[in-house]
Amino acid sequence: MIEPSKRSELVSYPIRDIVQEAKRLEKQGTQMIYLNIGDPAPFGFRPPQHVLDAAAHALTQNYSGYAPSDGDPELKEAVASFEKVAPEDVFITAGLSEGIDFLFQAMVDPGRNIILPVPTYPLYLTKERISYGTIEFYDCDEKFEPDPDSLRKNINKYTKAILVINPNNPTGAVYSRKTLQSIIDIAGESKLPIISDDVYDQMVFDGEITNMRDICKDVPVVCGNSLSKNYIYPGARAGYLAFHGEGWDKMKDAVQRLCNQRLSVNWEMQRAYIAAIKGSHDHIHKFNSELKKRRDILVKRVKEIDGLSVAPPKGAFYSFIKVESDKWKNDTEFVRGLLKCGVVVVPGSGFAPNMDGKYFRLVFLPKPEQLDEAFNRIEKFVKG
Ligand SMILES: Cc1ncc(COP(=O)(O)O)c(C=O)c1O
């Protein structure tokens, strides 16, 4: 037997892990509705045509060599002008996932931590673990707004940065300006930088969003974004990190080295990203109005089911639903039971290992009829 490394055993990805079990049941004849992965493509949403055209056009040009490791200079310029930083503050990555990987590699030595919101996007948990960091959380309230007191209390002397995900995966929460301001104040007091995960920042259908970059003043912030969600193109694997404010020089050197060692991001998708940033953003209004329709169905259906509750999502396409009933021992038992009824969702403990195991994450991307059908099955299962 060839043994994998101890480090590899620290890697898990609950969003995809659940699929294996779903596929097994599917083989046995259960028809599944997949509400586990945040990918709009299987639900019929497409990237804007001009973005696809730019990728196709790039293929006909002479882009066969490696791109510069830190990114296509024209894309860096486009991102820099959007983010209001200098091009040398921008690093292009293979999706924000690679940017997150680079940040952990550059910031987290063993025993150190980037403090995470709970619930959180699971990749951050994995990266913290495989950096041999410690996992430190700050709590959110019942509407999933970060709790500043909890943040202040849980920052320790080994904390290297504060993570904010806004809009949030898995909750769909969009944070108030006041909350963001409190986080900035705490970061200032503690002399810590902020990592602002903005991958869903254009996908807001209730109210406005305030972005960290616009209010951080002299607190250093690194913003991460990508083509995946805002431009409905997760398969493109193009994203970036943009460093705002002072004090980042050594960190930027480290990220540059991390970019160098993996050579480059593919040219074609970087050309597509330029078209995305510079071109029409009409798609986002349509996308958001479709999402709002689905969100309204979700909230109505959850309200009608005795034993479930949800804080209405205001952005992205996720909901973190609470199982109020004690019929199930924990979230895994609930999710496994629901799988047998043909609905695939993710146990909440994958996002919130320290919460009470009473939540599941449901993606509300399907067409209204399919979402309703999923809720018919969920209702039947919960009523038992
Ligand atoms: C909060 C959050 N951050 C980052 C990512 C990674 O996105 P990508 O690597 O596709 O840019 C995701 C993907 O689902 C996400 O939900």
Side-chain angles (χ1 to χ4, degrees):
M1 181 71 88
I2 301 165
E3 291 292 332
S5 69
K6 290 278 169 272
R7 187 189 289 266
S8 70
E9 284 167 15
L10 301 173
V11 177
S12 77
Y13 198 65
I15 298 167
R16 286 178 189 257
D17 291 350
I18 196 81
V19 172
Q20 284 179 354
E21 207 165 323
K23 293 281 174 212
R24 194 176 53 76
L25 286 168
E26 213 165 29
K27 268 197 191 139
Q28 293 167 7
T30 313
Q31 278 213 334
M32 290 293 175
I33 303 179
Y34 286 90
L35 304 179
N36 58 315
I37 294 192
D39 182 354
F43 302 101
F45 294 104
R46 308 284 299 143
Q49 192 56 45
H50 62 277
V51 177
L52 293 170
D53 289 345
H57 178 68
L59 270 174
T60 68
Q61 306 299 298
N62 189 16
Y63 282 120
S64 53
Y66 290 120
S69 295
D70 53 341
D72 177 339
E74 223 178 300
L75 175 55
K76 281 167 58 99
E77 288 250 353
V79 171
S81 100
F82 173 75
E83 288 280 343
K84 301 189 201 76
V85 292
E88 51 275 23
D89 298 321
V90 174
F91 296 84
I92 307 304
T93 53
L96 180 55
S97 300
E98 189 183 52
I100 295 168
D101 180 42
F102 287 177
L103 287 177
F104 275 81
Q105 290 200 53
M107 288 182 142
V108 182
D109 279 318
R112 305 294 191 263
N113 69 82
I114 290 172
I115 188 164
L116 311 175
V118 68
T120 198
Y121 176 54
L123 181 62
Y124 289 102
L125 294 169
T126 294
K127 293 296 170 196
E128 196 103 83
R129 284 194 198 105
I130 64 174
S131 311
Y132 296 111
T134 60
I135 297 198
E136 306 296 341
F137 290 121
Y138 61 93
D139 297 322
C140 294
D141 65 16
E142 65 286 352
K143 289 192 176 145
F144 301 121
E145 279 274 313
D147 172 2
D149 293 336
S150 169
L151 176 60
R152 197 174 268 113
K153 204 172 79 205
N154 289 303
I155 286 174
N156 62 33
K157 63 177 178 178
Y158 301 115
T159 303
K160 302 289 291 186
I162 300 168
L163 172 71
V164 175
I165 308 171
N166 182 38
N168 188 271
N169 176 7
T171 64
V174 178
Y175 304 156
S176 70
R177 190 185 175 107
K178 185 166 165 249
T179 300
L180 294 175
Q181 193 55 60
S182 309
I183 296 173
I184 291 169
D185 292 346
I186 295 167
E189 285 160 26
S190 327
K191 302 210 169 359
L192 290 174
I194 295 172
I195 300 171
S196 183
D197 180 328
D198 300 338
V199 276
Y200 300 98
D201 68 347
Q202 296 182 41
M203 299 172 47
V204 176
F205 35 80
D206 251 1
E208 298 283 309
I209 183 166
T210 304
N211 196 296
M212 276 291 182
R213 79 172 85 86
D214 297 324
I215 58 169
C216 60
K217 293 204 178 116
D218 50 358
V219 169
V221 172
V222 52
C223 293
N225 217 321
S226 77
L227 259 183
S228 299
K229 315 290 176 165
N230 288 324
Y231 300 98
I232 326 182
Y233 204 171
R237 311 312 305 134
Y240 68 79
L241 296 174
F243 291 87
H244 295 252
E246 302 297 316
W248 286 116
D249 288 355
K250 283 187 174 172
M251 203 57 68
K252 285 193 282 182
D253 283 348
V255 170
Q256 178 69 58
R257 289 195 300 279
L258 289 159
C259 287
N260 293 347
Q261 49 92 43
R262 66 79 167 99
L263 304 182
S264 75
V265 174
N266 78 66
W267 277 113
E268 289 79 9
M269 292 307 166
Q270 295 194 68
R271 304 306 292 173
Y273 209 164
I274 297 169
I277 292 175
K278 291 190 173 170
S280 155
H281 282 66
D282 284 354
H283 73 282
I284 201 72
H285 307 296
K286 286 187 211 129
F287 193 24
N288 283 341
S289 82
E290 287 300 321
L291 290 175
K292 191 169 197 283
K293 259 189 246 164
R294 288 154 170 79
R295 189 282 311 268
D296 291 345
I297 294 172
L298 164 108
V299 171
K300 175 173 171 288
R301 294 298 306 260
V302 171
K303 252 195 200 144
E304 288 164 2
I305 302 174
D306 214 17
L308 296 184
S309 69
V310 71
K314 296 179 179 167
F317 35 67
Y318 306 102
S319 55
F320 207 53
I321 301 178
K322 185 163 192 187
V323 182
E324 305 277 3
S325 159
D326 286 332
K327 248 197 266 177
W328 297 272
K329 203 168 65 215
N330 54 36
D331 55 352
T332 314
E333 196 178 282
F334 180 91
V335 167
R336 289 227 166 97
L338 190 55
L339 264 186
K340 293 192 185 118
C341 304
V343 181
V344 190
V345 295
V346 190
S349 47
F351 306 86
N354 66 341
M355 279 167 82
D356 54 7
K358 284 283 183 187
Y359 291 84
F360 63 95
R361 190 193 75 170
L362 178 145
V363 169
F364 55 86
L365 283 164
K367 290 207 166 71
E369 316 78 80
Q370 205 187 16
L371 197 57
D372 259 324
E373 172 54 26
F375 271 101
N376 292 344
R377 295 181 193 185
I378 294 171
E379 186 163 18
K380 204 165 150 206
F381 170 66
V382 173
K383 277 189 179 157

